[in-house]
Amino acid sequence: MIVANRKPFEEIMDMLKPYAKILLLGCNECVTVCSAGGAKEVSVLASEIRLSRAKDGIPVEVKEHTLERQCDPEYATEAKPLVDECDAVLSMACGCGVQSVAEAYRSKYVIPAVNTTFMGSSEEQGVWKERCQGCGNCILDRTLGICPVSRCAKSIFNGPCGGSQGGMCEIDKELPCAWQLIVDRLKEMDMMEKYLEIQPVKDWSTSRDGGPRKRIREDLRI
Amino acid sequence: MKVPCTGRVDIILILKAIENGADGVYLVGCLEGDCHFLTGNLKARKRVEYAKQLLDESGIGGGRVEMYNLSAAEGQRFAEAAREMTEKIRALGPNPAKQQGPRGQGAKRTALEPSNP
């Protein structure tokens, strides 16, 4: 899922300064699962905004709404009656959702309330960790389900590097070395021969280095 | 407001109470380690800490929210906690988010009712 973090309250209030009627728009997808921008977070932030404005004696009307999926124009356009009534939209979706809403309502100022952080999975209740960078060429079969692109600080393909100490990464003593994890797993599964295959230099053109990416499935197009 | 366990108290209930004009909110849960549902009171404490953080950043003041842990047999301690909290809130003054105006006219002082009594 896409993992996001709510922006500092001060930054949000600063962006909202000129506006009195705000539509606070959540998303029922990834940001709900990572507790950053679902219906619950919408109600909490709306309450905080109202309290802050009331304290300063500045009128505000905050409408709360959560879309099924903000990154889909079909859902984004559903909010039209609410968007029409507001001065600005404060979106709690990831960057994709914010852009879809901004695209759907071109005359409306759309403000992001979260910082989209990474693609990750939940390790335990309340803890999310980065697990994928969308490099466009998955090699998890060779590394037995541990991604060196996202989990190794250097994204190296023939590790570990000299900074791996006692199974931990040099950038953080609490961060396991991805290549140590890969080697441990290869040993566990008796597949160490895979470790001996030298990986060629990665072609990063499938990643962000090739510019914004696009996927088309012609059979699905209308 | 009665709830089956302080673990039921969602952060939004605390914020709504303040939004509706409460000068302070305190949660009274069972003693730590004595929760009938194992960890309800521990979860409530974490939410209170989070509510404090949110109220601090919105300028209302996190000191308006507290958590107390008592056993059902500690009536005296319950009264003490109520007095302690009342004094604390008096010292902090009225909720700054309360609408200005004569008492009872501007400020909404609605008590939160359980949605499914």
Side-chain angles (χ1 to χ4, degrees):
Chain A
M1 84 188 99
I2 291 173
V3 179
N5 245 339
R6 207 190 80 181
K7 280 181 175 286
F9 186 66
E10 217 182 310
E11 187 184 338
I12 295 173
M13 291 311 283
D14 200 45
M15 292 186 286
L16 288 177
K17 218 174 250 170
Y19 306 104
K21 288 175 95 177
I22 296 153
L23 172 63
L24 185 42
L25 208 53
C27 177
N28 264 339
E29 296 282 346
C30 312
V31 286
T32 293
V33 185
C34 72
S35 301
K40 202 165 180 173
E41 290 72 35
V42 163
S43 64
V44 169
L45 180 57
S47 182
E48 256 193 292
I49 295 169
R50 282 191 284 263
L51 283 169
S52 173
R53 284 279 181 100
K55 179 194 135 275
D56 297 333
I58 306 165
V60 71
E61 191 188 323
V62 187
K63 285 219 167 125
E64 304 167 30
H65 188 65
T66 302
L67 291 174
E68 201 50 46
R69 192 159 58 241
Q70 271 192 46
C71 60
D72 200 325
E74 201 177 320
Y75 292 109
T77 48
E78 258 179 22
K80 192 174 185 311
L82 292 167
V83 174
D84 285 347
E85 280 176 22
C86 71
D87 301 330
V89 179
L90 178 60
S91 167
M92 294 199 87
C94 69
C96 312
V98 175
Q99 290 182 62
S100 293
V101 171
E103 183 65 34
Y105 307 101
R106 297 188 67 87
S107 60
K108 205 59 78 174
Y109 190 56
V110 183
I111 301 164
V114 303
N115 290 323
T116 308
T117 320
F118 54 79
M119 277 189 276
S121 60
S122 86
E123 193 174 77
E124 59 177 275
Q125 176 83 5
V127 180
W128 297 272
K129 289 196 171 170
E130 185 163 20
R131 289 289 180 262
C132 180
Q133 279 190 15
C135 73
N137 190 6
C138 192
I139 53 139
L140 285 169
D141 59 314
R142 283 176 246 160
T143 55
L144 301 194
I146 296 151
C147 174
V149 179
S150 58
R151 296 175 71 174
C152 165
K154 291 176 178 167
S155 296
I156 54 175
F157 281 74
N158 295 285
C161 73
S164 177
Q165 299 288 323
M168 297 308 212
C169 178
E170 65 183 337
I171 67 153
D172 180 352
K173 286 192 174 75
E174 292 191 5
L175 180 72
C177 164
W179 273 100
Q180 181 70 55
L181 297 176
I182 293 168
V183 170
D184 291 347
R185 189 85 194 265
L186 285 164
K187 281 182 184 165
E188 263 173 48
M189 295 192 69
D190 200 18
M191 293 170 95
M192 273 302 275
E193 71 280 0
K194 281 190 183 289
Y195 185 59
L196 300 176
E197 294 167 19
I198 304 294
Q199 301 302 319
V201 174
K202 186 173 169 66
D203 175 5
W204 289 99
S205 66
T206 55
S207 185
R208 277 285 307 152
D209 302 42
R213 292 163 284 178
K214 188 176 183 178
R215 177 177 179 247
I216 300 172
R217 253 189 72 175
E218 284 299 344
D219 60 314
L220 294 178
R221 298 184 89 181
I222 301 166
Chain B
M1 180 179 175
K2 280 185 192 173
V3 286
C5 170
T6 46
R8 162 67 183 87
V9 181
D10 193 274
I11 192 115
I12 194 66
L13 294 181
I14 301 173
L15 295 180
K16 282 283 174 201
I18 301 282
E19 225 187 286
N20 284 331
D23 294 321
V25 175
Y26 70 106
L27 267 65
V28 184
C30 301
L31 291 168
E32 290 189 4
D34 277 358
C35 177
H36 181 72
F37 305 102
L38 306 177
T39 56
N41 50 3
L42 302 178
K43 286 175 179 148
R45 181 169 289 279
K46 283 187 182 174
R47 288 178 201 148
V48 165
E49 291 307 318
Y50 186 46
K52 279 174 174 286
Q53 190 189 318
L54 297 177
L55 290 171
D56 270 335
E57 61 187 22
S58 56
I60 304 299
R64 295 181 181 278
V65 183
E66 287 302 339
M67 168 101 197
Y68 289 90
N69 295 91
L70 322 168
S71 87
E74 290 180 296
Q76 201 178 345
R77 176 76 193 111
F78 181 81
E80 258 174 44
R83 273 195 290 271
E84 199 177 294
M85 193 65 190
T86 309
E87 278 164 28
K88 188 178 176 185
I89 298 304
R90 275 215 183 101
L92 287 171
N95 173 353
K98 238 186 264 187
Q99 288 169 33
Q100 301 300 311
R103 189 185 165 92
Q105 283 184 19
K108 277 163 76 183
R109 293 190 143 262
T110 37
L112 280 170
E113 296 294 339
S115 54
N116 195 8

